[in-house]
Amino acid sequence: MVVKIDDVARVAGVSKTTVSRVLNNRGYLSEKTIKKVHDAMESLNYQPNAVARQLYKKETKLVGLIFPTVDNPFFGQLVAELEKRLFDSGFKVLIGNSMNDPAKEEMYLKELISNQVDGLIVGAQNRGIDEYHKANLPVVAIDRVMNEDIPVIASDNYMGGKLATELLINSGAKHIMNTDGPINLETPAHRRRDAYEEVMKSHNMVPHTYLVDFSWDIKKKKQAVKEMFAKYPEMDGIFVTNDMDAALVWRTATELGYKVPDDLKIVGYDGANITRVLLPELTTIEQPVEEMAKMAVSTLITRINGEDTPLEQIVPVKIWHGTSV
Amino acid sequence: MVVKIDDVARVAGVSKTTVSRVLNNRGYLSEKTIKKVHDAMESLNYQPNAVARQLYKKETKLVGLIFPTVDNPFFGQLVAELEKRLFDSGFKVLIGNSMNDPAKEEMYLKELISNQVDGLIVGAQNRGIDEYHKANLPVVAIDRVMNEDIPVIASDNYMGGKLATELLINSGAKHIMNTDGPINLETPAHRRRDAYEEVMKSHNMVPHTYLVDFSWDIKKKKQAVKEMFAKYPEMDGIFVTNDMDAALVWRTATELGYKVPDDLKIVGYDGANITRVLLPELTTIEQPVEEMAKMAVSTLITRINGEDTPLEQIVPVKIWHGTSV
DNA sequence: GTGAAAGCGCTAACAT
DNA sequence: ATGTTAGCGCTTTCAC
């Protein structure tokens, strides 16, 4: 049988109210009582039942995280940083990997709400889901447009796209492509593409964006990349919207006999820890993941405390210079 | 105000017991009542409070995961697979990134126990922590020796070490090194080293193991790797105990002017998804992550159901042939 | 300075 | 086929 507050009270020879008081440092307690209670807790190896406390207090100190998957350098690092900061602020983390499946995302959302999380940080995709609204719960989005009243943290996507495209142009590429995710997924990440298109046009070059869906499996992606090479054989530069896809493009290019960067220059986006160890040769736009995590957590906590926060917070990016340009 | 079971009961014109019954499909209900209740739930957008249920049922459908960090190809993939399977079995996941800090691990453990998790899957390091014992909770360890009565899932570390070492020898390397984590961390992963040493000896070669601590930051690791090169300039082959470190060794070797695989052959260990995309050139011993996650989850659930499971389950590894050997 | 009692939202005997 | 009631383990008024 698991020990509960009454057991501690009995052993210490006090009421459970008193035990609760020492547990929470509340009200007047005599030194002697405090000691007795502590001793009893010690000897019984008492662990308070957080669930009972949660029910009464209507506060769980739980935060839900909904992201596509933790099996990705960027999201893995982001979730790790978020978790660290939340833990330091006294929150535990309930996690959901939505795999870009709106149905799954909705299930997670329901479960998390049912579990009475105090707040949510989401990097999953669907803005259509009413629940986010109905939930009436503090929510912070990372790099996703949720709706008008949910604060968003994003890297400076436009600047990133601009830096990437200019880098390619300045290093001599003439036929520069771009990849982007599905356009019906409303995300600030499309601004990378907007920047690409504008920079291209201002240099009198023709922009071409090729769709690569984040949720495709690796085979399908590789297939798509091959098609792209077939369709645009003159391509000599490409700005890929994330590093994993950029690696795939590089790989495929090599297989097809292209030399990087001589025949093809590649710029990615993300620049997470793992990528910089496994593939530092990839020139990429680096998002300040730590900074973003920090902002997301502090914004969420501010909201949980019922205060207002800015609706959009943009953090600067920088170029990681590899050898792929 | 958030809607609760009594509100639904009132609107549906029934007692809350009845609402609870339709919620849980228990007992005899007339079609008509069921419909009324469903309508009421719908119109009120009722979401049951899982915390209240948890308190009564003494079962949370929550599983705790304690791993060093999700910001790593192997653990990221592992956690993603675990979470997926747990979700499919009706469990939500509370996560803790222990960062190889035993103090942090202990804090997580306490929090998770306090939150009444139904079980724990751990890949963190400390076997000394009494709490795992005291917890009296279903626990499954991945690649960690906890203590005699906690089931362990591990890849065939010995076979992996053997395959790696033999591969290096057969491809002509004469001075083969090995890296390993701290020996005081009791983990089945040391069997990789055991195999290395035995294979080396059986070929009349002298084994040398160099310590690289998982918890060092990247600068310190790089420093250590450089020292190793300085100390063993004759090295022409190395079996590195994980892929991230192997990438670092490769990188450092290149900076020092070695050509891989001509001057130095490298074999890693892990072979996770991300690594195979970002650095497929790395020859490595591939752990069957999916299989391990599947086993861990089914073993945990079996334990949660009060049934016995084997104490050690070993899954086979295979070689991923890159170009680094 | 400490205790008795009510109640957080739900489920499950035990009625009827 | 449905309702009444007690209770899960905790916190907090309110009383002394």
Side-chain angles (χ1 to χ4, degrees):
Chain A
M1 200 41 212
V2 68
V3 11
K4 52 188 106 173
I5 203 170
D6 303 82
D7 301 319
V8 177
R10 194 166 22 74
V11 169
V14 298
S15 78
K16 59 181 187 160
T17 308
T18 303
V19 178
S20 173
R21 285 208 181 91
V22 337
L23 223 41
N24 300 286
N25 293 310
R26 209 183 297 293
Y28 306 90
L29 285 324
S30 74
E31 281 302 320
K32 220 171 59 188
T33 308
I34 294 180
K35 174 145 183 14
K36 271 193 303 187
V37 172
H38 275 140
D39 289 350
M41 294 199 299
E42 194 99 342
S43 75
L44 294 174
N45 188 236
Y46 171 68
Q47 296 284 60
N49 182 329
V51 172
R53 178 180 289 160
Q54 287 164 4
L55 178 60
Y56 186 89
K57 307 250 284 182
K58 296 175 166 189
E59 182 193 79
T60 53
K61 286 291 179 184
L62 248 30
V63 165
L65 258 37
I66 307 184
F67 285 89
T69 174
V70 102
D71 184 18
N72 169 279
F74 177 69
F75 290 122
Q77 185 183 346
L78 184 59
V79 168
E81 306 261 13
L82 288 171
E83 193 278 331
K84 177 184 185 309
R85 284 177 168 73
L86 286 166
F87 182 80
D88 289 346
S89 303
F91 291 93
K92 286 126 274 164
V93 164
L94 266 170
I95 202 169
N97 295 130
S98 67
M99 302 305 298
N100 292 284
D101 175 351
K104 233 187 150 185
E105 183 179 340
E106 193 171 343
M107 291 171 76
Y108 275 118
L109 185 57
K110 284 202 164 138
E111 290 284 1
L112 294 177
I113 291 172
S114 174
N115 270 278
Q116 314 296 115
V117 293
D118 292 342
L120 237 35
I121 301 180
V122 300
Q125 57 177 329
N126 226 280
R127 88 184 209 99
I129 299 181
D130 281 353
E131 258 73 16
Y132 280 111
H133 244 133
K134 292 194 203 146
N136 199 26
L137 194 73
V139 177
V140 172
I142 294 193
D143 221 19
R144 288 291 179 266
V145 183
M146 303 296 294
N147 61 47
E148 300 63 32
D149 50 11
I150 290 180
V152 177
I153 317 288
S155 67
D156 193 340
N157 287 289
Y158 191 90
M159 181 53 76
K162 189 164 180 286
L163 288 173
T165 312
E166 285 173 348
L167 183 62
L168 288 166
I169 292 176
N170 293 339
S171 56
K174 299 292 176 213
H175 302 278
I176 303 171
M177 296 276 303
N178 165 244
T179 73
D180 191 13
I183 200 76
N184 63 330
L185 167 59
E186 291 200 42
T187 144
H190 292 309
R191 291 184 198 154
R192 300 170 194 172
R193 172 193 183 156
D194 296 341
Y196 157 80
E197 293 183 344
E198 289 179 25
V199 171
M200 288 291 282
K201 284 177 191 157
S202 76
H203 282 76
N204 296 314
M205 298 170 112
V206 185
H208 289 291
T209 292
Y210 205 84
L211 182 139
V212 182
D213 197 315
F214 186 91
S215 62
W216 290 346
D217 67 31
I218 195 147
K219 261 213 173 97
K220 183 152 186 200
K221 274 190 179 175
K222 194 151 187 178
Q223 180 68 27
V225 170
K226 277 194 174 150
E227 276 169 22
M228 181 180 66
F229 275 100
K231 200 163 163 193
Y232 302 96
E234 74 282 15
M235 168 171 73
D236 59 0
I238 183 165
F239 167 37
V240 184
T241 200
N242 70 72
D243 288 341
M244 290 293 278
D245 287 354
L248 202 64
V249 168
W250 192 335
R251 186 89 32 232
T252 309
T254 305
E255 283 170 18
L256 294 174
Y258 288 74
K259 289 258 176 290
V260 173
D262 297 343
D263 307 333
L264 178 70
K265 302 184 199 310
I266 303 175
V267 179
Y269 203 103
D270 281 348
N273 285 338
I274 291 176
T275 317
R276 289 204 309 267
V277 170
L278 294 182
L279 191 58
E281 297 87 354
L282 178 66
T283 297
T284 190
I285 305 299
E286 211 182 320
Q287 304 198 57
V289 184
E290 277 194 48
E291 179 86 11
M292 291 167 79
K294 203 169 133 188
M295 269 189 182
V297 170
S298 72
T299 303
L300 184 70
I301 291 176
T302 307
R303 290 264 170 158
I304 288 177
N305 294 335
E307 294 158 41
D308 263 8
T309 63
L311 274 177
E312 193 175 55
Q313 292 174 84
I314 305 290
V315 292
V317 295
K318 58 186 183 203
I319 301 180
W320 169 270
H321 290 280
T323 61
S324 65
V325 169
Chain B
M1 197 43 211
V2 68
V3 14
K4 52 188 106 172
I5 204 169
D6 303 82
D7 302 318
V8 178
R10 193 166 23 73
V11 170
V14 298
S15 77
K16 58 182 188 159
T17 308
T18 303
V19 178
S20 172
R21 285 208 181 94
V22 339
L23 223 41
N24 301 285
N25 293 310
R26 211 183 296 292
Y28 306 91
L29 286 324
S30 74
E31 281 304 319
K32 218 171 61 187
T33 309
I34 294 180
K35 176 144 184 12
K36 273 194 302 186
V37 172
H38 274 139
D39 289 350
M41 295 199 299
E42 196 98 339
S43 74
L44 294 174
N45 190 235
Y46 171 69
Q47 295 284 62
N49 182 328
V51 172
R53 179 181 286 161
Q54 287 163 4
L55 179 60
Y56 185 90
K57 306 251 285 186
K58 298 177 165 186
E59 181 193 78
T60 54
K61 286 291 177 184
L62 247 31
V63 166
L65 258 35
I66 306 182
F67 286 89
T69 175
V70 101
D71 184 18
N72 169 280
F74 177 69
F75 290 122
Q77 184 183 347
L78 185 57
V79 168
E81 307 261 13
L82 288 172
E83 194 278 329
K84 176 184 187 309
R85 283 177 169 72
L86 286 166
F87 183 79
D88 289 345
S89 304
F91 291 93
K92 286 126 273 163
V93 164
L94 268 169
I95 202 169
N97 294 131
S98 67
M99 302 306 297
N100 293 284
D101 175 351
K104 232 186 152 190
E105 183 178 340
E106 194 170 342
M107 290 170 77
Y108 275 118
L109 186 56
K110 283 199 166 141
E111 290 285 3
L112 294 178
I113 292 172
S114 174
N115 270 279
Q116 314 297 115
V117 293
D118 291 342
L120 237 35
I121 301 180
V122 300
Q125 59 178 325
N126 226 281
R127 84 182 213 101
I129 298 179
D130 280 353
E131 258 74 13
Y132 281 112
H133 244 134
K134 292 195 203 146
N136 199 28
L137 194 72
V139 176
V140 172
I142 294 191
D143 223 18
R144 288 292 180 266
V145 182
M146 303 296 295
N147 61 44
E148 300 62 31
D149 49 14
I150 289 180
V152 177
I153 317 289
S155 67
D156 193 340
N157 286 290
Y158 190 91
M159 181 54 75
K162 189 164 180 285
L163 288 172
T165 313
E166 285 173 348
L167 182 63
L168 288 166
I169 292 176
N170 293 339
S171 57
K174 299 292 176 214
H175 302 279
I176 303 170
M177 295 277 302
N178 165 244
T179 73
D180 192 15
I183 199 74
N184 63 330
L185 166 59
E186 292 201 40
T187 143
H190 291 309
R191 290 184 200 153
R192 302 170 193 172
R193 171 192 183 156
D194 295 341
Y196 158 80
E197 292 183 345
E198 288 178 27
V199 171
M200 289 292 280
K201 283 178 192 157
S202 76
H203 283 74
N204 297 312
M205 298 169 112
V206 185
H208 290 291
T209 291
Y210 205 84
L211 182 139
V212 181
D213 197 315
F214 185 91
S215 61
W216 290 346
D217 66 32
I218 196 148
K219 262 215 171 97
K220 183 152 185 198
K221 273 190 179 175
K222 192 150 189 179
Q223 180 68 27
V225 170
K226 277 194 173 150
E227 275 168 23
M228 182 180 65
F229 276 98
K231 201 163 163 193
Y232 302 96
E234 75 282 15
M235 169 171 73
D236 59 0
I238 183 166
F239 168 38
V240 184
T241 201
N242 69 72
D243 288 340
M244 291 293 278
D245 287 354
L248 202 65
V249 167
W250 192 336
R251 186 90 32 229
T252 310
T254 305
E255 282 170 18
L256 295 174
Y258 288 75
K259 290 259 176 292
V260 173
D262 297 343
D263 306 333
L264 178 69
K265 301 181 200 314
I266 304 176
V267 179
Y269 202 103
D270 280 348
N273 285 338
I274 292 176
T275 317
R276 288 204 310 266
V277 170
L278 294 181
L279 191 57
E281 297 86 355
L282 179 65
T283 298
T284 191
I285 305 299
E286 210 183 321
Q287 304 198 56
V289 183
E290 277 195 47
E291 177 87 11
M292 290 167 79
K294 200 168 135 189
M295 268 188 183
V297 170
S298 71
T299 303
L300 184 70
I301 291 177
T302 307
R303 289 263 172 160
I304 288 176
N305 292 335
E307 294 157 42
D308 263 8
T309 63
L311 275 176
E312 192 174 56
Q313 292 173 85
I314 304 291
V315 291
V317 295
K318 59 186 181 202
I319 301 180
W320 169 269
H321 289 281
T323 62
S324 65
V325 169

